[in-house]
Amino acid sequence: MATDRTRTAILNAAERLYAERGFSDVTLRDIVAEANVNLAAVNYHFGSKDELIAELFVTRSIATNRERLSELKAVEDAGGGRAPIESVMRALVGPTLRGCLGPDRQRSTAARFMIRASIEAVPPIRKIRNREISHLRRFAAAMRRSLPGCPDVDIYWGLHFALAMAHQTIRDSERLDKLSEGLCDLNDVDGIINRVVTASVLALTQRPSAATARAQRA
Amino acid sequence: MATDRTRTAILNAAERLYAERGFSDVTLRDIVAEANVNLAAVNYHFGSKDELIAELFVTRSIATNRERLSELKAVEDAGGGRAPIESVMRALVGPTLRGCLGPDRQRSTAARFMIRASIEAVPPIRKIRNREISHLRRFAAAMRRSLPGCPDVDIYWGLHFALAMAHQTIRDSERLDKLSEGLCDLNDVDGIINRVVTASVLALTQRPSAATARAQRA
DNA sequence: GTCTATAGACTGATAGAC
DNA sequence: GTCTATCAGTCTATAGAC
């Protein structure tokens, strides 16, 4: 029992610190100080710093993906196997955005950790991260079902841009807040999700080659 | 003369390594090995690792901003002080995207370094970076001139999303390449710029509140 | 200005007492 | 399982010969 408490304390402290300051700037000593445990406990429970990071990442990765897929399944089932594109994109970016910007503090840390992991591709994470490709492919497939006529290349770019907007909003919310002098409300999670979803869907559905040509000439 | 050569060799090697692997993962020893100079030369010429990073960032920051503003001025002058919104967005994301994904290797390193700097907000950079806000405000002002009726809050979100798409494309081009199995051509810089510009402009101009409400219900 | 050599302070990991 | 003590390795920065 006491062993589990130590293990959990380390995991929580590590996730919080990594999410805030990044992997290379947080030492094991920082973590054990935050967790109020002994330095040797980390290596006893996890073997090494890299294995601790990997365990955090795998756990959170599975949880986030499950949440996304469950939301996707719900909207596709409701539509007889084919959801509106808005709902698909919402299932993609909603869980992460709600987790990072919402009021729910515990999930916030988890999601921030995942964003950090996506930025600092530290070796233990890089290996595991390739699995995410197959996860995203399931969303690409759902998007294809929602937009049967849409070329694959546009599907992938749309997926990429949606994640880009969601992640950057979490990552750099401070700059947007300063730039807009508070005008952009970063506590209004639903509003942000709507903006990201709307922008992604527009880019996906209203991309006549004419618009591209026009932009190019300008 | 020989002193300048050493200085330049350090700057070039540092920028290349930082761009590739990030700040905290690159040591002064890595840099002097790459530059073929002595370890002590770094501290002689720059004082400290942080001052070396700061010098790189300031130099490149000024260059990138100048390039953006020069492109902005050109299109605004051509339109009598008011450019089409496509051209404004192009001036914002074009220089960075061309620099990072284009064939021009030297500028590529510079732009990649700036992306890295925007990710790893290391202390020496964090201080300087607040100046960027005022730079971006000039673009917000130009966007307002292009879209007189557009609410400020939408201007800021549009600016934010455009940078998000541009940066994420540079940062994570590898994943997009794998995900799309090469379908998304990351060497076609003009095509990418068009996609980013088109998506940003659509989000800015075709955001009737009806679309938001529709997406929310779905 | 450029070098060698090294100081001084960190890091992750471990041996061994309890 | 938890601790103290410490190892061996790394880092930045600097003193001093040339």
Side-chain angles (χ1 to χ4, degrees), chain A residues 19 67 93-115 162-177 184-197, chain B residues 157 160-161:
Chain A
E67 199 174 345
V93 301
T96 308
L97 281 169
R98 272 195 304 275
C100 281
L101 299 171
D104 192 333
R105 276 272 148 234
Q106 190 161 13
R107 291 180 57 230
S108 176
T109 303
R112 272 174 201 281
F113 172 85
M114 291 303 288
I115 293 291
L163 291 175
M165 290 185 277
H167 285 189
Q168 176 89 343
T169 301
I170 294 160
R171 183 162 31 226
D172 222 351
S173 58
E174 195 193 345
R175 185 180 70 182
L176 179 57
D177 190 55
C184 297
D185 183 3
L186 287 155
N187 293 318
D188 175 18
V189 185
D190 287 337
I192 292 171
I193 294 178
N194 284 337
R195 280 185 184 273
V196 172
V197 167
Chain B
W157 275 109
H160 170 74
F161 282 158

Side-chain angles (χ1 to χ4, degrees), chain A residues 65-132:
Chain A
N65 289 353
R66 179 159 39 212
E67 199 174 345
R68 280 181 177 163
L69 288 175
S70 129
E71 198 170 320
L72 176 63
K73 185 176 186 314
V75 293
E76 287 210 314
D77 284 355
R82 190 171 134 178
I85 183 66
E86 284 87 357
S87 307
V88 176
M89 303 313 281
R90 193 171 293 270
L92 180 68
V93 301
T96 308
L97 281 169
R98 272 195 304 275
C100 281
L101 299 171
D104 192 333
R105 276 272 148 234
Q106 190 161 13
R107 291 180 57 230
S108 176
T109 303
R112 272 174 201 281
F113 172 85
M114 291 303 288
I115 293 291
R116 181 65 71 174
S118 83
I119 300 171
E120 287 184 39
V122 92
I125 286 182
R126 210 170 311 181
K127 295 172 200 157
I128 307 165
R129 223 185 136 214
N130 288 332
R131 299 182 204 164
E132 205 195 353

Side-chain angles (χ1 to χ4, degrees), chain A residues 10 13-14 17-18 21 23-35 37-44 46-53:
Chain A
I10 291 171
L17 291 177
Y18 285 149
R21 291 158 36 193
F23 298 107
S24 38
D25 284 352
V26 174
T27 68
L28 292 186
R29 282 170 176 81
D30 292 335
I31 294 171
V32 298
E34 179 86 1
V37 301
N38 188 270
L39 175 59
V42 176
N43 282 288
Y44 175 78
F46 300 95
S48 71
K49 182 182 182 177
D50 278 5
E51 286 171 280
L52 168 61
I53 293 176

Side-chain angles (χ1 to χ4, degrees), chain B residues 10-24:
Chain B
I10 292 171
L11 284 171
N12 286 341
E15 183 169 49
R16 191 162 49 243
L17 292 177
Y18 285 149
E20 266 174 39
R21 292 157 38 194
F23 298 107
S24 39

Side-chain angles (χ1 to χ4, degrees), chain B residues 27-29 39 43 48-49:
Chain B
T27 68
L28 292 186
R29 283 173 174 77
L39 175 59
N43 283 287
S48 73
K49 182 182 182 177

Side-chain angles (χ1 to χ4, degrees), chain B residues 22-210:
Chain B
F23 298 107
S24 39
D25 285 352
V26 173
T27 68
L28 292 186
R29 283 173 174 77
D30 294 333
I31 294 171
V32 299
E34 180 87 0
N36 277 313
V37 301
N38 187 270
L39 175 59
V42 176
N43 283 287
Y44 175 78
H45 285 283
F46 300 96
S48 73
K49 182 182 182 177
D50 278 5
E51 286 169 279
L52 168 61
I53 293 175
E55 168 139 351
L56 276 169
F57 183 71
V58 169
T59 306
R60 292 309 184 189
S61 188
I62 291 171
T64 302
N65 290 353
R66 180 161 36 211
E67 200 173 347
R68 280 181 177 163
L69 289 176
S70 129
E71 199 169 320
L72 175 63
K73 186 175 187 311
V75 292
E76 288 209 314
D77 284 355
R82 190 170 136 181
I85 183 65
E86 285 88 356
S87 307
V88 176
M89 303 314 280
R90 192 171 292 269
L92 179 68
V93 301
T96 308
L97 282 169
R98 271 196 305 275
C100 281
L101 299 170
D104 193 332
R105 277 270 147 235
Q106 190 161 11
R107 291 180 56 230
S108 176
T109 302
R112 272 174 201 282
F113 171 85
M114 290 305 288
I115 292 293
R116 181 66 70 173
S118 82
I119 300 170
E120 287 182 40
V122 91
I125 285 182
R126 211 170 309 180
K127 293 172 202 158
I128 307 165
R129 221 182 137 218
N130 288 333
R131 300 181 202 165
E132 206 193 353
I133 300 281
S134 61
H135 170 71
L136 291 180
R137 262 192 238 286
R138 301 182 63 167
F139 270 91
M143 290 167 68
R144 244 178 251 118
R145 286 191 289 274
S146 298
L147 302 170
C150 188
D152 273 10
V153 62
D154 290 341
I155 294 279
Y156 290 122
W157 275 109
L159 182 57
H160 170 74
F161 282 158
L163 291 175
M165 290 186 277
H167 285 189
Q168 176 89 345
T169 302
I170 294 161
R171 185 161 31 228
D172 223 350
S173 57
E174 195 192 346
R175 184 180 72 182
L176 179 58
D177 190 55
K178 276 188 193 161
L179 175 65
S180 72
E181 290 171 317
L183 209 59
C184 297
D185 183 3
L186 288 154
N187 293 318
D188 175 19
V189 184
D190 287 336
I192 292 171
I193 294 177
N194 283 337
R195 280 185 185 274
V196 172
V197 167
T198 305
S200 324
V201 170
L202 276 170
L204 272 165
T205 56
Q206 312 201 6
R207 249 188 54 73
S209 43

